[in-house]
Amino acid sequence: MDLISQEHKNKNLNTTLSTQPPPPPPSSPPSFSRYENQKRRDWNTFCQYLRNHRPPLSLPSCSGAHVLEFLRYLDQFGKTKVHHQNCTFFGLPNPPAPCPCPLRQAWGSLDALIGRLRAAYEENGGVPETSPFGSRSVRIFLREVREFQAKSRGVSYKKKRKMVNNMKQRTQSSSQPPLQTQTQQQQQGQSMMSNYHHGQLDDIAQLR
């Protein structure tokens, strides 16, 4: 009798275990966008730069001058040729030969980097009004880099924007039917009226 009751308990236990839902799979780590990944890498690089600074700097004591030091430090990893004013290729967009001018960070890369660091600073508890990445010295530096690189490389950022706007206008105008001039409209109206009058005269002649 004890053996029968024990077997019955084992059957009930197996039935209970088999009816239980399987454990949920382990949750995968959240996937970040390319922008978020790049922003996190840039922020870690800047924080590492502050730790390696002599003397080491804390984030609250960081100023716009330290941000400028960081940007100049990154120039050694740049890949954009920036010609000196005494270089024979100064102002040429496509130099015909190599020159000893240094490689620098492009203005567009620096501008995007500051934007990501500014967002990361605020996400980590920083106040936007006191952000060193939005300081006046950083804005002036970026403007000067843009203007000098535009002259050095023979590239005008304003002209590029105008070209894009002109292309948009041409695309819009090509997609619309051509407008008739006032003279053409008048000529078409006169021809229609003359045809109408001729038709009336023909009908009158037939009636007679």
Side-chain angles (χ1 to χ4, degrees):
M1 197 64 184
D2 294 338
L3 292 175
I4 294 174
S5 62
Q6 185 65 29
E7 290 177 358
H8 185 67
K9 290 180 180 179
N10 292 336
K11 288 181 180 180
N12 293 336
L13 181 60
N14 293 333
T15 303
T16 304
L17 292 175
S18 63
T19 56
Q20 290 180 351
S27 59
S28 58
S31 58
F32 296 97
S33 64
R34 182 178 179 182
Y35 171 80
E36 293 295 333
N37 291 330
Q38 186 63 49
K39 181 174 63 175
R40 186 169 63 254
R41 287 194 296 267
D42 294 337
W43 181 250
N44 293 335
T45 302
F46 180 74
C47 292
Q48 184 66 35
Y49 175 79
L50 295 181
R51 288 191 293 268
N52 295 338
H53 195 273
R54 294 292 178 271
L57 293 171
S58 62
L59 190 60
S61 61
C62 178
S63 64
H66 300 122
V67 175
L68 295 182
E69 290 180 5
F70 176 68
L71 296 180
R72 295 189 181 98
Y73 160 78
L74 294 178
D75 266 339
Q76 60 183 314
F77 309 108
K79 298 180 181 180
T80 300
K81 178 74 71 172
V82 179
H83 301 285
H84 294 300
Q85 291 183 348
N86 56 355
C87 179
T88 56
F89 301 143
F90 184 84
L92 295 180
N94 298 310
C99 66
C101 293
L103 297 176
R104 295 286 185 261
Q105 292 285 346
W107 164 78
S109 300
L110 295 178
D111 187 62
L113 171 65
I114 290 299
R116 292 191 297 267
L117 289 176
R118 189 171 183 174
Y121 176 83
E122 297 176 7
E123 291 174 0
N124 286 271
V127 181
E129 290 75 15
T130 60
S131 174
F133 305 102
S135 62
R136 183 173 180 271
S137 59
V138 173
R139 294 197 303 269
I140 293 176
F141 174 80
L142 290 176
R143 184 173 67 248
E144 291 177 349
V145 169
R146 182 188 64 181
E147 293 175 354
F148 183 79
Q149 288 191 6
K151 295 178 182 179
S152 171
R153 301 172 57 197
V155 177
S156 177
Y157 299 103
K158 293 182 180 179
K159 287 184 179 180
K160 281 187 175 181
R161 293 175 181 174
K162 290 182 180 179
M163 289 175 61
V164 172
N165 294 332
N166 291 336
M167 289 296 293
K168 289 182 179 179
Q169 292 177 358
R170 290 177 183 176
T171 305
Q172 292 176 356
S173 60
S174 62
S175 62
Q176 295 177 354
L179 297 176
Q180 295 179 341
T181 61
Q182 187 176 2
T183 305
Q184 291 176 343
Q185 291 177 354
Q186 291 177 353
Q187 292 176 354
Q188 288 183 357
Q190 291 175 359
S191 62
M192 290 174 65
M193 291 298 294
S194 62
N195 293 335
Y196 175 73
H197 288 304
H198 283 302
Q200 280 187 333
L201 294 174
D202 292 341
D203 293 341
I204 294 171
Q206 290 178 2
L207 290 174
R208 290 180 180 176

